[in-house]
Each structure stands twice: as C-alpha cells, then as structure tokens.
Amino acid sequence: MYVATSSLNQRSSPNGAVVDKSTGGDSVHVYERRNGWARITPAGSPERWVSSKLLCSGAGCYTPKPRPRTNYQPARSNYSDSNCPCSGNRVCIGPRGGRYCITSGGRKRYGI
C-alpha cells in the first residue's frame, strides 16, 4: 500500500496520539486492519496505526496536488492612526508603504 495524501499521521493506536508522520507516496506494509484503521508495523515493534482510507494500492497511485497560485500581496504593516500626530515627530507608514501623519482634524496627510 502507499500513502495517498501529502502527509499522514501515524498513531500509537486507532485514534491515539500522533507519534510520527509519513509523506505522500511512501510505501507501507499493512499487517492488520481494524474499523477503518491499518497497523503498519510488524508485531513486536512499537505500534503505528494510520487511517486506511488514506492509503491506496499500486505504485504511483499518489499524485501531489498542484499548489494554488496566489497573487503577491505585500505585507501590511501594523500602524495606529492615534500614534502619528503631525504636531509631533512621529510618522506612520500606510498599508502600501506611504508615509503620513494625522492632522488635528483627524485626516491623514501624506508625503511627510
């Protein structure tokens, strides 16, 4: 059998604590099946159980999913309007990198 997902948790018992991981396409030998779980270690070894629905048969049965393309979004800076008064020496940096301060009327004045 082969791991049919990008990452597969190995557990100490069915629904037990995660003790290790397998990656997509890894070959595993199933020694026992029980209620949707498969034991992948031989008797006498520390038990490792995986969900049998995340296994497939035949070499090459796992195909990695292509990563979705994302549009680059520049990181937004954390800024606070109340900490950048124009009367002081403080300047805010806006979400697109523009420099500004807050006027006494509460408006942003850019180009500082």
Side-chain angles (χ1 to χ4, degrees):
M1 301 295 291
Y2 296 88
V3 175
T5 185
S6 59
S7 179
L8 179 63
N9 289 332
Q10 296 178 8
R11 299 178 180 273
S12 57
S13 62
N15 284 325
V18 175
V19 292
D20 204 356
K21 291 186 183 276
S22 295
T23 57
D26 284 355
S27 175
V28 295
H29 185 83
V30 175
Y31 292 93
E32 177 184 355
R33 291 182 184 267
R34 185 187 316 161
N35 298 326
W37 291 91
R39 183 171 55 85
I40 61 169
T41 53
S45 298
E47 288 190 350
R48 301 284 195 265
W49 291 83
V50 296
S51 172
S52 59
K53 68 181 178 183
L54 298 175
L55 298 176
C56 60
S57 58
C61 64
Y62 167 70
T63 328
K65 292 181 182 176
R67 297 179 112 183
R69 297 188 80 183
T70 58
N71 293 333
Y72 171 74
Q73 295 290 327
R76 292 188 171 269
S77 61
N78 293 329
Y79 61 93
S80 171
D81 292 345
S82 62
N83 292 332
C84 304
C86 292
S87 60
N89 291 330
R90 303 199 53 163
V91 175
C92 284
I93 305 297
R96 287 177 266 160
R99 295 166 48 99
Y100 69 92
C101 64
I102 303 298
T103 66
S104 59
R107 297 178 183 250
K108 293 180 183 177
R109 184 170 62 187
Y110 281 89
I112 305 299

